[in-house]
Amino acid sequence: MDLTSKTVLLLTVLLAVALFAATVLLWPRLARRTWRAVTGRIGLLLATQLALFASVGLLVNNAFGFYASWADLLGQETETGVVVDHSTNRQGIERTGLPHDNRRAEVAGRLDKVLVRGDGTGITSPAYVYLPPEYFQHRYAQKRFPTAVVLTGYPGTAEALYSKLHYPQTERRLVAKGKMQPTILVMMRPTVAPPRDTECMDIPNGPQTETFFTKELRADIAAHYRTGTQARNWGVIGDSTGGYCALKMTMRHPEAFSSAVALSGYYKAPIDPTTGDLFAGNAQLQRENDLLWRQRHLPPPPVNLLVTTSKQGETNYADTTRFIKQTKAPTRVSSIILESGGHNFNTWRREIPPALTWLSSHLSP
């Protein structure tokens, strides 16, 4: 039976109830001080606790879609995603992975921890900047490199982008195989005003997050590293909230980013206790941040978009297929659609290699 099936959840709940009832009924018999009675009490208590934890875990997983199957839960889903270009129907697949390397920068690249400052918005946010080995090699001394902003979900940690999702390590393997050009990665959280989830927008009378990412971040990074300054030199990739941010900022600001990748992204900003009032009652502003609404009512921008989902395990499957169908030229859309995969690191690690290959092919140095 599937991990997410209601039958599994129901059976687990019934088991927990049955074990609880058995504990109550059998406890008088197990009140003795013999080793068998003690072992019986321990066994019943342990079994009841495990059944309760399993019931709660299954309920939470069904609600949020963290894992799509038993194989996904156990980390056995390893098949890499396939990029489908919905204009030309080209496909590509790549398997990658690379452990951390401490060799000199000319060979292994360098990871800088920096503070990105926005003078106009007043926002300061930490980031990790990955510089590929080529950045330090003599033959590339005069070269400017394409740059990708890499965003976590909410709340997320920037460290997870290299320690768990392995973006720099994956880039190195892809470059070595000729599947990707050397690219600067700017890895950070979209949460620049913690603990508030700003959904990467300029909030009326609040944090101006969209301006920070689309203008100030690019300017600050370009002032300190050899990056290009045009939209064709910049892309953005993110998972979950970071995926929504990637799509939205690229669609709204094609002068800033030419290409975006949304791994398990959604298409409309939520309103909950973590976001607060994002729109200050402005219905038009709320519509403009709804990406499906933008597709229907506003002129399509000349950008490249890649969206990912899975048929089993992701809650964004229906909206993603709708987004693909609604895309109009000059916007170009591609997709990675897995058969199974939940809203988790294991799924994104399967999608990142082909996603980086796709993103690199749409960025200019």
Side-chain angles (χ1 to χ4, degrees), residues 105-243:
E106 293 89 344
V107 176
R110 193 178 79 197
L111 190 65
D112 292 348
K113 185 175 182 179
V114 302
L115 279 178
V116 181
R117 303 181 186 276
D119 293 334
T121 63
I123 293 174
T124 299
S125 184
Y128 290 91
V129 178
Y130 169 70
L131 303 171
E134 291 80 4
Y135 189 90
F136 304 96
Q137 296 171 5
H138 180 71
R139 59 176 174 159
Y140 294 97
Q142 304 302 317
K143 175 181 172 61
R144 291 186 176 273
F145 288 78
T147 305
V149 178
V150 186
L151 298 176
T152 69
Y154 174 86
T157 64
E159 291 83 358
L161 294 170
Y162 65 82
S163 66
K164 302 294 185 182
L165 293 178
H166 307 149
Y167 273 94
Q169 300 92 321
T170 302
E171 175 179 327
R172 285 177 56 198
R173 288 293 298 271
L174 291 172
V175 171
K177 292 184 176 183
K179 299 293 185 180
M180 180 181 180
Q181 61 180 317
T183 302
I184 295 173
L185 304 179
V186 183
M187 297 175 284
M188 57 195 308
R189 306 165 68 192
T191 313
V192 296
R196 188 174 189 182
D197 176 13
T198 63
E199 295 292 320
C200 296
M201 66 169 290
D202 288 347
I203 301 175
N205 302 314
Q208 303 295 287
T209 309
E210 189 171 30
T211 296
F212 172 77
F213 277 115
T214 58
K215 295 182 179 179
E216 295 173 335
L217 167 68
R218 295 171 64 252
D220 198 9
I221 294 297
H224 293 88
Y225 297 100
R226 298 198 312 274
T227 69
T229 58
Q230 304 299 313
R232 66 177 183 271
N233 312 129
W234 285 77
V236 55
I237 177 174
D239 60 77
S240 193
T241 298

Side-chain angles (χ1 to χ4, degrees), residues 6-33:
K6 293 182 179 179
T7 302
V8 171
L9 176 59
L10 179 60
L11 289 175
T12 306
V13 171
L14 290 175
L15 177 62
V17 172
L19 286 169
F20 178 78
T23 301
V24 173
L25 293 173
L26 296 176
W27 198 260
R29 297 184 184 180
L30 300 174
R32 301 172 185 175
R33 295 184 179 180

Side-chain angles (χ1 to χ4, degrees), residues 86 134 144 331 351 362:
H86 292 275
E134 291 80 4
R144 291 186 176 273
T331 301
E351 297 168 340
H362 290 87

Side-chain angles (χ1 to χ4, degrees), residues 302-323:
V303 295
N304 309 295
L305 308 175
L306 172 64
V307 293
T308 80
T309 187
S310 59
K311 296 178 181 178
Q312 179 185 355
E314 287 281 18
T315 59
N316 73 336
Y317 178 71
D319 281 344
T320 298
T321 55
R322 182 181 173 191
F323 183 86

